[in-house]
Amino acid sequence: MKHSVHGEHRGDERGGPAQRRAVSASPYDVGQLWDKGVDVAGAGQEVLSKDRGSQPLWVWLMVLTAHGGRCVYCDERQSETLEHEAPLASGKGRDIWWNLVPACDRCNSWKQKKSAVEWVLNMKLHHAHPKAGFCRNSLPLHVVNGVKDRMSEVKREIQDAPRRTWFERHYSDKKTPRLRREKHEEVERCTEKLGRYPYPPWESQETRHSDQYCTRVLCCGHTQKNSTFTYVTLPKSDREDLKRMAYEKGLWIGDLIGTLLTPTLEEWRQSQHDDGDDCRGGGG
C-alpha cells in the first residue's frame, strides 16, 4: 500500500484536541438517498467528530475491506484512505462511519472539497465539454458512469448491520495504531484472515445473542453453550488441513473435531458396556 498523511489525527491550531459536536438525527438508508441523487452529508444516526482520522481501528477495517479492498471511485486501485463522501472541508460532512467510503489517495485528492455527487457531475461535464474547465483531473467516462452504482453497493455493504457488528466485536478492544502504515498492516492481516473463510463469518449462525461479543459459529464457535477448550496435538500441516476442512464444511474447527470424535466415543462407550455385560455374565 502507498502511504500518505491524509486521514491522520489532527488537533486544533493551539495544539489542543479538536472540538467535538454532537447532534441527533434520524437514521437513513444512505444508499437509497444516493440512488435518489440526494446529498447524503446530513444523513445518519449521530454526527460526531470533526477530528479527521480519529476513527477506531474497527471502522478502518470495516471500510477499507469493503468493495473487495478497491477504491469505490476508480474501481481499480487499492483502497488507502477513509474517504469522506461529503467532505469535511465543505463544512457539510462529518467524520463518522456512514459518511466514509474506501478510496485510493489519488481519487481522494482529485475529489477535493466536492461531494461524490458533485464530483461525478463535474467529471461528466468535463467529458462533454473538455475545454470548459469543469475538472482538472478526471476518470475515464465509463468509470465515471459506474460510480453511482458502486457507491450504492458500498453503502449497503458498510451499512450491513451483521457485518458492521462483526468488525466492532472483533476489533473494538484493539488499540488503533497511530500511523496509517500500521493501520494498513492491520487491514492486510484482516483481509488475509477473512480470505480463509469459505464465506463471510458474519453470515454464519449465531450460537446465542450477545451485546458484548461475537457468537458466530464460523469464527467464534467456542461461545456455544457447554463448549470447552481442548488442546489437540497435531503437526502444523495437519492443523492447516483441519482448518480448511472445517471452513469448507462451514463449521467452527471445534465443532468439526467433535463431529469426528463422536463416532469413536460412541464405539468406546459401547465397548465399555459390552465388557461390563461380559463381567456380569462370567460372575454368574
Side-chain angles (χ1 to χ4, degrees):
M1 284 188 175
K2 296 181 180 179
H3 313 300
S4 70
V5 298
H6 294 294
E8 291 294 346
H9 178 91
R10 292 187 178 91
D12 61 17
E13 295 180 355
R14 296 184 299 278
Q19 295 297 314
R20 294 179 180 270
R21 181 168 63 93
V23 300
S24 59
S26 300
Y28 293 93
D29 183 333
V30 183
Q32 290 181 3
L33 292 176
W34 169 270
D35 290 338
K36 296 177 181 179
V38 177
D39 190 339
V40 297
Q45 297 168 342
E46 283 186 343
V47 177
L48 295 181
S49 174
K50 295 289 284 186
D51 187 2
R52 182 192 294 267
S54 64
Q55 293 294 337
L57 177 63
W58 71 267
V59 172
W60 279 84
L61 299 176
M62 177 184 70
V63 175
L64 292 190
T65 57
H67 194 55
R70 302 188 310 279
C71 173
V72 69
Y73 296 115
C74 66
D75 197 31
E76 177 183 5
R77 295 193 175 200
Q78 191 172 28
S79 56
E80 299 168 292
T81 187
L82 305 182
E83 207 283 313
H84 296 85
E85 182 187 352
L88 303 187
S90 69
K92 300 177 181 178
R94 296 294 181 267
D95 194 27
I96 190 171
W97 66 265
W98 47 256
N99 188 40
L100 300 172
V101 295
C104 65
D105 286 330
R106 185 190 68 175
C107 286
N108 185 42
S109 176
W110 285 2
K111 180 172 169 281
Q112 294 184 330
K113 297 181 180 181
K114 304 179 186 72
S115 69
V117 174
E118 292 170 338
W119 191 37
V120 167
L121 177 59
N122 284 0
M123 285 192 289
K124 287 183 176 180
L125 289 172
H126 170 78
H127 283 284
H129 309 283
K131 296 182 180 180
F134 285 102
C135 254
R136 177 175 296 181
N137 299 296
S138 178
L139 298 170
L141 183 58
H142 73 278
V143 176
V144 176
N145 288 333
V147 170
K148 180 178 178 180
D149 289 339
R150 290 196 298 274
M151 185 69 73
S152 296
E153 181 181 341
V154 165
K155 285 294 185 180
R156 282 189 286 270
E157 185 177 6
I158 291 176
Q159 289 180 79
D160 181 58
R163 181 180 186 273
R164 187 171 68 252
T165 300
W166 187 89
F167 281 98
E168 186 174 12
R169 298 277 166 79
H170 279 260
Y171 293 97
S172 61
D173 293 337
K174 194 166 185 178
K175 183 179 179 181
T176 306
R178 183 175 62 87
L179 302 177
R180 280 186 80 214
R181 170 179 56 80
E182 296 170 335
K183 294 185 178 80
H184 289 159
E185 290 171 355
E186 291 290 346
V187 172
E188 290 173 1
R189 280 191 284 269
C190 179
T191 300
E192 182 180 354
K193 176 182 178 180
L194 291 174
R196 294 198 295 265
Y197 292 109
Y199 57 90
W202 50 84
E203 293 181 2
S204 65
Q205 183 181 1
E206 287 185 303
T207 61
R208 55 194 172 91
H209 177 72
S210 173
D211 292 327
Q212 298 178 339
Y213 47 83
C214 179
T215 64
R216 298 286 176 180
V217 172
L218 195 57
C219 55
C220 297
H222 61 275
T223 60
Q224 297 177 74
K225 186 178 180 181
N226 298 327
S227 67
T228 58
F229 282 103
T230 300
Y231 292 95
V232 179
T233 303
L234 288 173
K236 184 176 180 180
S237 59
D238 288 351
R239 173 176 170 78
E240 292 303 313
D241 285 341
L242 186 65
K243 288 168 62 177
R244 284 192 285 269
M245 181 179 177
Y247 292 157
E248 286 178 3
K249 292 179 177 295
L251 296 172
W252 174 55
I253 189 171
D255 286 335
L256 175 61
I257 293 173
T259 300
L260 296 175
L261 286 177
T262 297
T264 303
L265 284 172
E266 288 300 322
E267 182 180 347
W268 176 81
R269 291 188 185 108
Q270 185 62 44
S271 69
Q272 294 297 105
H273 176 73
D274 293 342
D275 289 345
D277 289 344
D278 291 342
C279 291
R280 286 191 293 273

